[in-house]
Amino acid sequence: MAAPETDIQHTPLHALHVELGGRMVPFAGYDMPVQYPSGILKEHNHTREAAGLFDVSHMGQVRLRGSGAAEALERLVPVDVVELEPGKQRYALFTNPAGGILDDLMITNAGDHLFVVVNAACKDQDIAHVRAHLGGDVALEVLDDRALLALQGPQAGVVMARLAPATTQLFFMTGAAIEIDGVGCFVTRSGYTGEDGFEISVPAARAESLARRLLAEPEVAPIGLGARDSLRLEAGLCLYGHDIDATTTPLEASLAWALSKSRRAAGARPGGYPGAEVIFEQFATGVARRRVGLKPTGRAPVREGTALVDATGRAIGQVTSGGFGPSVGGPIAMGYVETALAKAGTEIQAMLRGKPQPVTVTKMPFVAQRYYRG
Amino acid sequence: MSNRKYNKDHEWVTVEGDIGTVGISDHAQEQLGDVVYVEVPDPGKAVEQGGEVATIESVKAASEIYSPVSGEVTEGNAALGDEPGLVNSDPYGQGWFYKIKLSNAGELDGLMDEAAYQSFLESLD
């Protein structure tokens, strides 16, 4: 789904990435920093120890306005949007008629509108999908004039408090319109690292000055996509297009927790979204495969696409994300295995360069989440 | 260090007597990023010039190491098992990969010396 290289796009922070020595690579149609000179390991550790600044402006930001906005969005996600209280944020999934996942997204009730963030690689498709299902009473606005910064790490809270005291009122999975350094931003307390942190939607024209302002704080360092990936993997979070896609259902993906009670078969507003029958059936009878955490016994990383086999060598699944977890101090991975082998502690094997390597099915996250819950 | 020779895959070899020591260049380690795992060959392994002989994994990806010379491996660098980061911190010293008994010293003439390698790197930019 990546755009051809000739069409490669720049975020409002592109010049700053280059100035900071970012090693730029094409990602989801954007020229993005995979790392800065300090390197992925140091950037990862800095985020776990202090605060890391990420440019996630390539992601899609959308505003839905109108009295029927929540109802309209509920027709596309197996999640309670109607009763999402003002100021609250929720993780959601767009599903297809087969119950597969079209994208994962974050929805915030911003009071007079819904603020939605979707993945970069899916955003055009997502926006078309939402538009096609809106009633006349709902207006969809693509916020392509805004950048998105993420400040993540145990010291993100003190940094934000210094710049914008109002952010101390936020806790995990809440959001508010907050002025930072004189600029009107929309800030949520959430992220993709397992750490406390914020995502800041800021007008594109003010994004670089805000990024520089944040980088001037002693706790803050710029972090590239490489560390973003190792941080989210340690946190057990899915990467769309790898760990979840149109062929994986929420239950197979071990994302049942994201499916609101009110939208399940016995709920107050059951179904009414694509694939509901499939998902109900899977709730009732189970699934044949599940996404699990995987901990290789040796030191060799087990990468995406690696085949998983049982003790007899029979194929039982595949790795969907894998690499080295700097905070774990060793290789970690996630992937799909047959449900009978999905229990934590089960010993299986990964076929690494033709040789079976022992791997243990493991509970996720690999690193304890440290969200700020007030 | 004047006798260090390079191939175009950014491996280097230095030779003492008929034993070569092989590693990857500073440029290669920088491109790979933080190295987290190295699989070195076992002693006795027969290697052809240009053949895959070892695997290196950085935080980004896995890469193969292609031997700059043919011969028989006499030793793998066991230190890399515990401390793969030596490849980054000391690519021409403690970060060596394996020692090899050369079977064809003439192959060295086809490799680049330091100056030729530096111009090769410039030609890549």
Side-chain angles (χ1 to χ4, degrees):
Chain A
M1 217 173 296
E5 273 207 47
T6 45
D7 290 347
I8 197 132
Q9 299 189 69
H10 289 181
T11 74
L13 297 184
H14 187 270
L16 179 60
H17 297 316
V18 172
E19 179 187 318
L20 293 169
R23 186 177 295 169
M24 308 304 287
V25 298
F27 181 82
Y30 286 80
D31 196 36
M32 298 297 284
V34 67
Q35 65 168 83
Y36 298 91
S38 65
I40 294 173
L41 277 185
K42 286 203 175 75
E43 291 172 26
H44 177 108
N45 291 331
H46 185 89
T47 306
R48 290 265 183 260
E49 288 156 14
L53 181 68
F54 304 73
D55 179 13
V56 289
S57 305
H58 54 311
M59 299 185 79
Q61 302 178 62
V62 173
R63 205 178 262 162
L64 291 175
R65 270 183 209 284
S67 55
E71 287 82 356
L73 202 50
E74 276 207 354
R75 290 197 286 274
L76 301 176
V77 299
V79 169
D80 173 7
V81 186
V82 167
E83 291 179 81
L84 181 64
E85 290 168 36
K88 293 284 176 63
Q89 185 178 39
R90 189 160 286 162
Y91 177 72
L93 308 159
F94 288 125
T95 48
N96 67 22
I101 301 169
L102 292 174
D103 196 7
D104 59 348
L105 62 149
M106 295 289 255
I107 304 168
T108 309
N109 182 345
D112 61 348
H113 67 273
L114 295 172
F115 174 66
V116 177
V117 177
V118 300
N119 281 304
C122 303
K123 65 184 175 185
D124 294 341
Q125 165 203 311
D126 289 344
I127 290 162
H129 181 61
V130 175
R131 274 195 206 285
H133 291 84
L134 288 182
D137 54 344
V138 183
L140 182 153
E141 184 187 357
V142 179
L143 303 177
D144 47 15
D145 58 345
R146 295 180 82 87
L148 193 64
L149 310 186
L151 187 71
Q152 300 280 303
Q155 289 171 16
V158 296
V159 170
M160 290 297 283
R162 212 175 289 145
L163 269 66
T167 57
T168 59
Q169 304 302 314
L170 295 175
F171 53 92
F172 182 56
M173 297 298 274
T174 68
I178 291 174
E179 196 165 285
I180 306 174
D181 225 26
V183 181
C185 297
F186 190 82
V187 183
T188 62
R189 197 155 195 169
S190 58
Y192 196 45
T193 61
E195 298 293 330
D196 181 23
F198 301 83
E199 291 195 349
I200 308 162
S201 173
V202 54
R206 308 299 296 271
E208 186 179 319
S209 62
L210 176 59
R212 287 185 190 278
R213 179 75 185 79
L214 288 164
L215 289 169
E217 298 300 312
E219 297 90 345
V220 181
I223 311 296
L225 292 175
R228 182 169 160 82
D229 192 52
S230 55
L231 288 159
R232 70 89 196 169
L233 180 57
E234 284 186 340
L237 300 170
C238 291
L239 175 60
Y240 191 81
H242 300 259
D243 308 305
I244 50 176
D245 61 27
T247 70
T248 61
T249 68
L251 273 77
E252 290 171 337
S254 302
L255 295 174
W257 59 268
L259 308 189
S260 304
K261 292 244 168 14
S262 60
R263 309 299 307 285
R264 299 188 190 182
R269 295 188 308 288
Y273 49 86
E277 311 69 29
V278 177
I279 289 170
F280 289 173
E281 175 69 17
Q282 292 190 345
F283 264 121
T285 63
V287 290
R289 58 173 184 161
R290 291 201 60 177
R291 182 178 63 96
V292 295
L294 300 165
K295 184 85 190 71
T297 306
R299 286 186 62 98
V302 173
R303 308 273 179 186
E304 179 178 0
T306 303
L308 297 169
V309 301
D310 69 7
T312 69
R314 187 176 60 91
I316 53 157
Q318 203 171 47
V319 174
T320 52
S321 281
F324 180 79
S327 306
V328 171
I332 52 172
M334 60 172 86
Y336 285 81
V337 298
E338 290 177 2
T339 301
L341 296 162
K343 198 163 174 277
T346 306
E347 301 286 341
I348 58 172
Q349 303 185 85
M351 292 305 291
L352 203 58
R353 294 179 272 277
K355 283 180 278 184
Q357 300 288 319
V359 167
T360 307
V361 175
T362 309
K363 280 209 168 71
M364 292 190 284
F366 296 99
V367 170
Q369 292 161 343
R370 297 193 288 180
Y371 302 132
Y372 178 76
R373 296 178 192 274
Chain B
M1 285 300 150
S2 57
N3 78 347
R4 192 189 302 132
K5 295 286 194 82
Y6 300 84
N7 67 12
K8 288 189 173 179
D9 295 312
H10 308 282
E11 279 88 35
W12 57 260
V13 56
T14 57
V15 179
E16 273 180 56
D18 60 352
I19 300 294
T21 302
V22 176
I24 66 167
S25 74
D26 187 49
H27 171 83
Q29 70 77 19
E30 198 188 306
Q31 290 296 312
L32 283 168
D34 304 298
V35 173
V36 296
Y37 175 76
V38 180
E39 189 176 287
V40 296
D42 294 326
K45 185 184 170 81
V47 177
E48 292 293 315
Q49 186 181 40
E52 289 181 11
V53 63
T55 301
I56 183 167
E57 299 246 8
S58 75
V59 283
K60 280 183 247 171
S63 313
E64 302 302 329
I65 300 300
Y66 302 98
S67 189
V69 289
S70 306
E72 184 182 311
V73 173
T74 59
E75 185 186 356
N77 184 359
L80 297 183
D82 293 327
E83 222 180 322
L86 290 171
V87 176
N88 296 116
S89 58
D90 194 9
Y92 298 126
Q94 296 178 78
W96 61 276
F97 277 53
Y98 60 95
K99 293 186 192 294
I100 183 168
K101 187 174 194 306
L102 270 55
S103 59
N104 180 3
E107 287 172 350
L108 295 168
D109 298 334
L111 299 175
M112 293 176 276
D113 63 12
E114 189 72 44
Y117 181 63
Q118 290 309 321
S119 0
F120 171 66
L121 289 182
E122 281 162 29
S123 75
L124 297 179
D125 292 335

